[in-house]
Structures are given as structure tokens and as C-alpha cells.
Amino acid sequence: MHHGYYEPGSDVSGSDHRAAQIRMVEESLRFAGISEDPANRPKRIVDVGCGIGGSSRYLARKYGAKCQGITLSPVQAGRANALANAQGLADQVCFEVADALNQPFPDDQFDLVWSMESGEHMPDKPKFVKELVRVAAPGGTIIVVTWCHRDLGPSEESLQPWEQKLLNRICDAYYLPEWCSTSDYVKLFQSLSLQDIKAGDWTENVAPFWPAVIRSALTWKGFTSLLRSGLKTIKGALVMPLMIEGFQKGVIKFAIIACRKPAE
């Protein structure tokens, strides 16, 4: 379940969400400057933290590319492969269980390294970034779309105690490790000599997502689905208002970072 990309301040319903998710993918590609020219479009793509493979299938169709996805979840990998087979993409897309911090690929493999809302799950951000860079082909593009906390001011060494407490409650509900800022990601890519590094704050573009999810959960269908899904999902649902609070108070940022590996 990924965020959608909305016009800031728009009022959305759950029915808008799939179109908004597609906009998120397209806006991410546009932000990174991925070529639409058939001669230069990506031919080999890795989806790091692929979930059930929605991004992979979309990118494979769009570019006619080969796409490999990795996830820690055997259930997600199985579901992703089943969906690829059902949609006639088995010869283009495949998914496997693997660790994003120790990817099962040789160096310099992929024209496009894609990470859509998986970075926040990574317990070792420097190692995560190093692996993204390692598997990227020379001249390849890396796109990371992720939740971050706000950048610290020049005189700050850490977030305010109330901000950290808010993030800790969210991390506890969603089983997330410690967060970092957008500028932390930029510095990590700079330390590895990546080129054309740019970052964007899309917080306002995803802000309508959480209220829409809450509204859908408050319907009778949503409520009964939650009850069937178990305590862990209910726990996550109860924390959704904290995500809204974090966005509104400027603690949580929804960021995109894109860069290019130097060509040999």
C-alpha cells in the first residue's frame, strides 16, 4: 500500500488512490529525468523492497524492461510472482526473497535502481545506500522515495523530545527502525561520489492520503476488514492519526532523492 501523489490540498476518496499511485510512479520517473526515448530507457530494473510487485509490473510494461524485485517476505514474493504470471509478465518480471542490505546481484547490473517506500524499513541506512549504488550500472539512475524526519537546523543535534516521542510511537506500531532526514540521504550519496543528486519534499502531495485511508477504515466494510485482519493491523490503524499529526507539524517528510552513478 503506497502513498498516492495528489495535488496539494485536494479532497480525495479511496477510489482515487490507484490513479494517485500511478501518478506517484510517473512523477518519480519525471523528477529523476528518466528518458522516454526507446534507445535510452531503462532495460534492467531492480525494485528494492518490492512488496507484491506493483511498481515492478508497471515499470516492466512501461519500458519493456526486465525487472527483478526483492523483499524479505516469502508471502509477498509468492503473491508478486503469481500476479506477474496472471498478467502475462512472467518472462519480464521475477521476485525473490532477499535482503536489501546484502543484495544477491553482481555489481553494476541495473539501469534503474528503484526503492519506493522501503528505505524507512532499513535498519542500516549507510549500508542500504551503498548496496543501491553497488548494483547500479555505470550511468544508471537511483530513485529513493521514502518517509524521513525533518532536516535538523544548523544549531540542532537532534529532534526535539516531543518529536522523537511521536516518531517512536509510529515506529513501534509499524515495526520501523530509526528514521533519518532527507539531507542525511543526500550526504550518503555525496559520500559515494554520485552525480546529479537532487531531493524533493512531496509532503504536501501525499497529505490527502491518510485522511482518505482513515475514512475508508471507518466504513462498515473497512471496520469488519480490520477486525478480521488481526491485532497487528488494528494497532497500525490506530496510529494513522499520528502520521497526520507528524505531517501537519512538519516532523514527518515524504521525500524523493534521485541521483546517477558516474559512467565509466
Side-chain angles (χ1 to χ4, degrees), residues 29-42:
L29 297 169
R30 183 193 59 76
F31 182 89
I34 301 298
S35 176
E36 294 289 337
D37 181 350
N40 297 317
R41 59 177 50 181

Side-chain angles (χ1 to χ4, degrees), residues 1 12 20 25 58 78 88 105 109 111-112 124 187 193 210 220 246:
M1 184 176 68
V12 302
V25 174
Y58 184 86
F105 308 119
Q109 284 295 294
D111 308 314
L112 175 58
D124 186 335
K187 289 171 186 174
S193 302
W210 289 97
W220 178 249

Side-chain angles (χ1 to χ4, degrees), residues 96-170:
E96 63 183 292
V97 175
D99 185 356
L101 304 184
N102 187 23
Q103 296 183 36
F105 308 119
D107 298 355
D108 304 332
Q109 284 295 294
F110 300 103
D111 308 314
L112 175 58
V113 177
W114 175 271
S115 169
M116 174 62 70
E117 291 187 70
S118 62
E120 58 270 16
H121 296 276
M122 304 300 168
D124 186 335
K125 301 296 193 290
K127 191 169 184 182
F128 170 56
V129 168
K130 283 181 181 177
E131 278 293 273
L132 298 180
V133 174
R134 181 184 69 78
V135 301
T141 299
I142 299 170
I143 301 175
V144 177
V145 181
T146 185
W147 307 354
C148 294
H149 66 62
R150 67 171 177 83
D151 289 343
L152 299 179
S155 62
E156 289 184 304
E157 294 185 1
S158 64
L159 294 171
Q160 299 297 312
W162 71 268
E163 294 175 314
Q164 192 60 59
K165 183 178 179 181
L166 177 66
L167 291 185
N168 287 345
R169 291 179 66 189
I170 293 169

Side-chain angles (χ1 to χ4, degrees), residues 4 50-51 72 82 103 118 120 138 150 188 207 214 218 240 244 259:
C50 61
L72 285 177
Q103 296 183 36
S118 62
E120 58 270 16
R150 67 171 177 83
L188 286 170
I214 290 174
L218 292 177
M240 287 191 287
I244 296 175
C259 55

Side-chain angles (χ1 to χ4, degrees), residues 16 60 63 72-73 77 131 137 243-244:
D16 300 320
Y63 294 122
L72 285 177
S73 167
E131 278 293 273
M243 289 294 297
I244 296 175

